[in-house]
Amino acid sequence: SGGKGVEEEKDEVLELHKDLMMLYPGVEVVGGRGDILETATLTVGDGDTLQIGGVSLSVMSVPCHTPGSVCFVLHPADGSPTCCF
């Protein structure tokens, strides 16, 4: 098949997180509740809200790729949703 296995992909993600954490000390690595992500410094789940400056992100649980998969809905200062990622 030639594709990467789940464990190989997980190892690559963890290495990327570790690299980012070294480049940007104090950076938050956000992971979905229900996933085992040893580099996560913050876990979030459905209905949680994150504040980044004047921007609000609401968390939506979307278990598909992993049991703890989440999407974020961006809310500008006026409160209207503008995008989901």
Side-chain angles (χ1 to χ4, degrees), residues 2-21:
K4 294 179 184 177
V6 171
E7 287 302 314
E8 186 178 358
E9 287 181 4
K10 179 182 174 189
D11 289 344
E12 288 178 2
V13 168
L14 291 176
E15 285 305 312
L16 173 62
H17 290 173
K18 290 174 185 174
D19 289 346
L20 288 171
M21 292 169 87

Side-chain angles (χ1 to χ4, degrees), residues 30-61:
V30 179
R33 234 176 257 123
D35 284 343
I36 300 170
L37 182 60
E38 63 226 34
T39 54
T41 57
L42 175 66
T43 56
V44 295
D46 198 57
D48 288 344
T49 301
L50 302 172
Q51 286 295 133
I52 303 171
V55 175
S56 174
L57 298 171
S58 57
V59 180
M60 293 179 3
S61 178

Side-chain angles (χ1 to χ4, degrees), residues 62-73:
V62 289
C64 53
H65 180 67
T66 66
S69 289
V70 293
C71 283
F72 300 94
V73 178

